[in-house]
Structure formats: structure tokens, C-alpha cells
Amino acid sequence: MGKTVRAHANIALIKYWGKKDERLRLPLMSSLSMTLDRFYTDTKITESDLNHFYLNGIEQIGQSSQRVFTYLKFLQDKFGVSGNLAVRSTNHVPTAAGLASSSSAFAALAGAFCSHYGFEIEPKELSRLARMGSGSACRSVFGGFVLWQKGEDDSSSYAYALNEKPEMDLQLLAIELNPKPKKLSSTEGMKQATSSPFFKPWLQRNQTELDQMITAIQNNDFTALGQLAELNANEMHAINLTAQPGFTYFEPQTIAAINLVRHLRETGIECYYTIDAGPNVKVITRLKNVKEITNQFVSQFDNVKIVNASFGPGLSYLD
């Protein structure tokens, strides 16, 4: 009997935005992330008469179910196994809202598949398997700070833990401005983004920014980390705006949240923002500033949901 596998979502501080090979989900750039304790997916796989996918207790049909079983069929073919499966997932991350739900979902799914069939897989290999479901999922196999090296092919593109138990005082406030699924998927956004005249220059900066972020982590330099994470996010969204045709995930509240972060910084409360493919903003700060920043957002935004996260672990097996 396979175990329930828990995988935590991650947020990229140095972004992955663009694929070299869509089938293998090979990225055009390396990325670096922070695994989050408060956002996670629990998944268990059992044998079944027919394929069934249950998300938060509700059976799914259509595209989401198809994506799950296309991936599982790929894994079955790869390992030479077969059979119908029942997949039961509980997702503690808003889906498709720019909060990296697919990272925890497919890392948990890869782990649950291996657990169900009794395969003992090294973390590096499991990272590669998770990548085939969703690129960012390869980073959720590990905890703390994680680096996904882009590699040149399937065997060399995987993530590894840069620092599984960081000592840095780093908190991430997930500001949920809009929980609804985004209109433009990350996959489609990445395709369009490569048409920007600034995409190649950004790509050429990737290794430099990655090295700078690694140095900030090694030096326990919160300021350098925050500044670079904010710059990298702005670069990604500038690419989107200057694509042909241009597009954005920002909504009016996104801009208002950015302005609030900048205002707080000007008043001496050190914080920075990062934004993925969606309208929601993540604020990077220290523990001492969490309460003040939270109060400011609650007072200025209606019905805003704020979750305070810190470093989360890698894959865990619950039963």
C-alpha cells in the first residue's frame, strides 16, 4: 500500500520563464526558489477499476484530470507498469492563481506514484520525474533554498537543495488579492514572452543573477536577497509587457500592492515583493516586520487574504 506524500509549494526568487523543450519541460534558464511551509499538497494513489482523480474530495473531469493521467501514463510507460489508478489529492494552495500550486501538486504526484509501486528513487531522479509533470515541481522535492539547474537534456536538468535548513530570518507574506484562476496559463505566457526584444538580454543575465543570489544566501544577506528577487520579478513582468503581443498578469490591486511595499520601505520597514504568473503579490520581509506589514495590507485592501510562510521541508511520507 502506497503512502500519502506531502510536497510543499515553492516560490522562485530567480524565475524560470521559458522552455527550451516543451515535451521534456527543459527550461531556458536556471532558477532558485524557496520552499514554503504553509502551502502544500497531500496525494495518495491506490488501485482502481477505472482512473479517478479526486481533488479536495471532489472528482475532477476534463483538462485537470487529463493532465494528471497523461503524466501518470508517462510514468507507467517509463517504469514498465500498468493499471488503473485512483488519485486523491488535497491541495492547500489556491489553484492557478500564481501561487505555484502545480509545483507541490506534481511533486506530490511523482512521490505518490513511486510509493504506490514501491519504487525507491533517489531525490535527484525524483526531481527529474516531477519536472516532467510541471517544471517548478522539480524544486518542491527539496526544502529550504533550492536550485534548478537548467541542464542541456533530460538527465542534466534537475533541482537540488542549496540549503535545506537556512538560518536566514526570512518570511514570505502571500497576499491573495484574487484567488481565481488566471486567464492566461503559465505555459502560454512563457511562449508569448520569448517574443520580447528584451528576452535574450534577460536570458544572458541569468547566470549572473543566480550567482549573486547564491552569494546573498551564503552570506545570510537579507537585503541583497530581497533586492535581487524584486529586480528579477520586475524583469520577468517587463518581458511580458514587451512581448509581441504584450500581456500582463497584473491587475489594479497588484499595482497598488507594489506601491504599498515601496511606501513601507521608504518609511523604514524593509520589505520587497516578488510576483509570479498571476495577480497575487508575495512580500519578502523579516519576522519583526510581519505584523506591521499585515496590518497595512488589511487596512488598505478589502477582503484580502494573507498567509505568513517561512521555509518548508522537502517531500514527506505521512502514513
Side-chain angles (χ1 to χ4, degrees), residues 1 6-7 58 77 80 107 110 127 135-136 161 176 201 226 228 240 257 261 268 274 291 295-296 311 316 318:
M1 176 76 71
R6 174 170 294 178
I58 301 170
D77 291 346
S127 174
S136 60
E176 188 180 294
L228 188 55
N240 297 343
V261 170
T274 185
K291 188 174 181 180
N295 289 341
Q296 289 283 343
F311 294 106
S316 56
L318 304 183

Side-chain angles (χ1 to χ4, degrees), residues 8-155:
H8 290 256
N10 68 77
I11 291 294
L13 304 176
I14 299 294
K15 307 294 186 189
Y16 139 61
W17 195 238
K19 295 172 186 171
K20 180 170 70 173
D21 186 315
E22 193 150 338
R23 183 180 68 86
L24 294 175
R25 297 189 189 274
L26 299 180
L28 284 166
M29 66 278 287
S30 297
S31 55
L32 192 152
S33 64
M34 171 190 181
T35 304
L36 303 171
D37 57 355
R38 294 291 302 277
F39 298 105
Y40 57 91
T41 302
D42 292 339
T43 298
K44 185 168 187 172
I45 293 177
T46 55
E47 291 182 9
S48 179
D49 56 340
L50 296 170
N51 286 332
H52 296 282
F53 172 43
Y54 301 92
L55 179 61
N56 299 333
I58 301 170
E59 184 163 11
Q60 305 295 301
I61 57 173
Q63 188 174 357
S64 63
S65 180
Q66 184 179 356
R67 183 177 176 186
V68 164
F69 287 107
T70 298
Y71 174 62
L72 289 175
K73 182 64 167 64
F74 160 79
L75 293 181
Q76 287 180 325
D77 291 346
K78 181 178 178 68
F79 287 94
V81 293
S82 60
N84 292 326
L85 303 172
V87 179
R88 291 177 171 82
S89 288
T90 305
N91 205 16
H92 299 267
V93 193
T95 302
L99 282 165
S101 60
S102 66
S103 66
S104 58
F106 280 91
L109 191 59
F113 173 87
C114 293
S115 178
H116 172 69
Y117 286 105
F119 299 136
E120 293 187 10
I121 304 293
E122 291 290 318
K124 172 183 168 182
E125 175 68 11
L126 192 56
S127 174
R128 287 177 53 227
L129 295 180
R131 189 199 76 229
M132 296 299 296
S134 171
S136 60
C138 75
R139 298 188 304 244
S140 282
V141 172
F142 304 95
F145 288 118
V146 182
L147 196 153
W148 175 15
Q149 62 178 29
K150 62 180 181 180
E152 298 301 325
D153 53 23
D154 177 40
S155 63

